[in-house]
Structures are given as structure tokens and as C-alpha cells.
């Protein structure tokens, strides 16, 4: 399986920032041995698609589960698709822990993404206190169990394992930690366990190769280190080119 390198820009890079990013990123990665994905702010999606000039896929960072309605400030999966997105990040740690998104809402969003023909990239991950209390497996099984019944084998989806304590903190799971958690997620997916599972949480050029060489790690979801084109290109360059 070709490794997936996904950037999650969070609330960074509007249209001019996106255009500037790609003008500096494209010359760095002329032949790309990876599947490249960008989760841009909604308002920068069109500018990103227009200026990318490398084979890449684009997604939104959040969707609402309704197709349309009096829901000020929300974007539906259908609208994201119309704007050129082909993937949607769902249940990112910041959505869960800053905006209080629940497992039930995550599931509704997964169903909405599938309905609209978007590839859901569903984020799961434990808090530090849950890990310390030995609850890693219970938490991951619970989060995966909340949405896996809404998916079938004929629609692409991905899972991103992002330990909450490693996001934006500079703390990274070891490759062994990642392999263990990914194994748990894969088992919890049951017959859909072939889906790609990305690792996220302080991925950088210096740790990307070892994380992506860990068992069951099919790629990375990168936050802070995806904002700078040279740094993100360094992660692309560090990606092992083929799955062993
Ligand atoms: P980080 O974020 O790489 O800045 O830790 C990862 C993410 O939130 O997807």
C-alpha cells in the first residue's frame, strides 16, 4: 500500500497562505512516492486545489451531518464535495475535546460523508489519563465501535490514531506505541480491518520514517509540521516508499 501523508492545516492558511504554500512546496516534491492529502480550511479549499499542481487529494476538517438547513456556520458533506473535497476529517481530537463532539455525532458525520461520497478519515485517540489508567484498548474499541457499523467494505474510509497527549505537544508515541494502538484499532474494525490507519501526533521529518515503518502504520496525519512547505516536504521525503 502506498503510504499516505496527510496535512491538517487546522485554522491556518487562508487563500493567499495556501497559494504561497504550494508555490514553495511543489518544487520540493516533483516526483511524489506517497498519497498526498491536505485538509485545508474550507475557505482555502478552492485556492489550494487551483494552486497545488502536484497529484494531491483535498479534504475538509469537519462537516455537519445534515445535507442542508438553518445551521449557521456549518458546512454539509454535500457542499464540501461540490467545493472539490474528496475526504472529510471527522472526530478530530480538537473537535471532540474543544468543541465537545460526541461519539454519536462522529457516527452521524461518518454516515453523512458516506452519503455524499466523501472518504471519512475518522480520528480516535486516548487522553493521557486514560492511557495511564490502562484504558487504551477500552477507549479505542469504544471510539471505533461507535462508527464502524456505519461503514461497509465497498466505500473507502481511513482511521487516524492520534493520542491526545501527543497532538501539538512535541510528545510523540514511540513506533512501538503506535503499532500497539494501530493493532487494537485494526482488530476493532473487524472485517473492515484492511482500512488504512494513519498515525498523528507531533509527526516531524525526524520521526516520520520510523513511525511509518512501524507495524500497521499506513501513513501519517500531520498538524503543525504540515504548515511549512519545507518541513512538510521533509516528511514526504522521509516516507518509506513501499509497504513491506
Ligand atoms: P500535530 O497535530 O502534528 O501538530 O501534533 C496533529 C493533528 O492534530 O492532526
Amino acid at each position: 500500500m502506498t503510504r499516505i501523508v496527510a496535512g491538517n492545516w487546522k485554522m491556518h492558511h487562508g487563500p493567499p497562505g495556501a497559494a504561497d504554500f504550494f508555490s514553495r512546496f511543489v518544487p520540493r516534491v516533483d516526483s511524489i512516492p506517497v498519497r498526498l492529502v491536505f485538509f485545508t480550511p474550507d475557505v482555502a479549499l478552492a485556492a489550494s486545489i487551483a494552486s497545488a499542481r502536484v497529484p494531491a487529494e483535498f479534504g475538509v476538517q469537519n462537516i455537519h451531518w445534515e445535507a442542508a438547513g438553518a445551521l449557521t456556520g456549518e458546512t454539509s458533506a454535500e457542499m464540501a464535495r461540490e467545493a472539490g473535497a474528496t475526504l472529510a476529517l471527522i472526530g478530530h481530537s480538537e473537535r471532540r475535546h474543544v468543541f465537545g463532539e460526541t461519539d454519536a455525532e462522529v457516527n452521524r458525520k461518518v454516515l453523512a460523508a458516506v452519503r455524499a461520497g466523501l472518504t471519512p478519515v475518522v480520528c480516535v485517540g486516548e487522553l493521557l489519563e486514560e492511557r495511564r489508567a490502562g484504558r487504551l484498548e477500552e477507549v479505542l474499541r469504544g471510539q471505533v465501535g461507535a462508527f464502524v457499523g456505519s461503514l461497509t467494505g465497498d466505500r473507502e474510509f481511513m482511521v487516524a490514531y492520534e493520542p491526545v497527549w501527543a497532538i501539538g505537544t512535541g510528545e510523540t508515541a514511540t513506533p512501538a506505541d503506535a503499532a500497539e494502538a494501530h493493532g487494537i484499532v485494526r482488530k476493532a474494525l473487524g472485517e473492515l480491518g484492511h482500512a488504512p490507519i494513519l498515525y498523528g501526533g507531533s509527526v516531524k521529518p525526524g520521526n516520520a520514517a520510523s513511525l511509518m515503518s512501524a507495524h500497521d502504520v499506513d501513513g501519517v496525519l500531520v498538524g503543525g509540521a504540515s504548515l511549512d512547505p519545507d518541513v512538510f516536504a521533509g516528511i514526504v521525503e522521509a516516507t518509506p516508499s513501499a509497504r513491506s
Side-chain angles (χ1 to χ4, degrees):
M1 186 188 290
T2 305
R3 299 296 210 295
I4 298 157
V5 177
N8 171 18
W9 284 356
K10 309 191 181 186
M11 200 170 75
H12 299 281
H13 291 335
D20 179 60
F21 175 94
F22 285 109
S23 73
R24 293 160 55 208
F25 180 71
V26 174
R28 289 286 313 261
V29 289
D30 49 347
S31 104
I32 305 172
V34 303
R35 188 172 166 192
L36 200 53
V37 179
F38 291 92
F39 293 99
T40 73
D42 291 359
V43 294
L45 189 58
S48 299
I49 293 169
S51 54
R53 299 196 321 278
V54 282
E57 297 161 66
F58 293 87
V60 289
Q61 300 169 9
N62 181 38
I63 49 172
H64 195 273
W65 53 84
E66 295 291 348
L71 293 160
T72 301
E74 295 291 328
T75 298
S76 72
E78 283 78 2
M79 291 168 178
R81 188 86 180 86
E82 287 169 359
T86 54
L87 304 96
L89 214 51
I90 296 177
H92 184 274
S93 153
E94 285 142 24
R95 299 299 321 168
R96 292 178 186 266
H97 299 293
V98 180
F99 297 97
E101 204 163 292
T102 64
D103 277 338
E105 289 169 338
V106 166
N107 186 43
R108 295 181 82 174
K109 293 180 179 196
V110 168
L111 283 166
V114 170
R115 179 187 71 213
L118 296 177
T119 295
V121 181
V122 192
C123 303
V124 299
E126 81 289 1
L127 297 164
L128 187 57
E129 51 269 34
E130 292 169 334
R131 168 169 282 264
R132 286 195 175 137
R135 297 182 51 221
L136 174 68
E137 178 156 3
E138 174 203 330
V139 169
L140 295 181
R141 292 188 78 85
Q143 290 175 340
V144 172
F147 68 82
V148 70
S150 299
L151 294 163
T152 57
D154 52 0
R155 292 290 195 128
E156 183 186 60
F157 73 97
M158 303 178 198
V159 178
Y161 167 65
E162 299 200 303
V164 179
W165 49 270
I167 296 177
T169 59
E171 298 266 340
T172 319
T174 64
D177 290 337
E180 181 194 10
H182 284 220
I184 293 169
V185 169
R186 217 175 271 299
K187 228 165 94 193
L189 289 170
E191 58 189 26
L192 301 179
H194 56 272
I197 305 177
L198 313 182
Y199 169 81
S202 297
V203 175
K204 305 211 161 26
N207 60 23
S210 60
L211 284 162
M212 278 191 271
S213 301
H215 191 60
D216 277 328
V217 177
D218 301 306
V220 285
L221 178 58
V222 186
S226 73
L227 295 176
D228 181 295
D230 292 319
V231 176
F232 196 51
I235 292 175
V236 172
E237 282 158 8
T239 303
S241 59
R243 183 145 193 89
S244 45

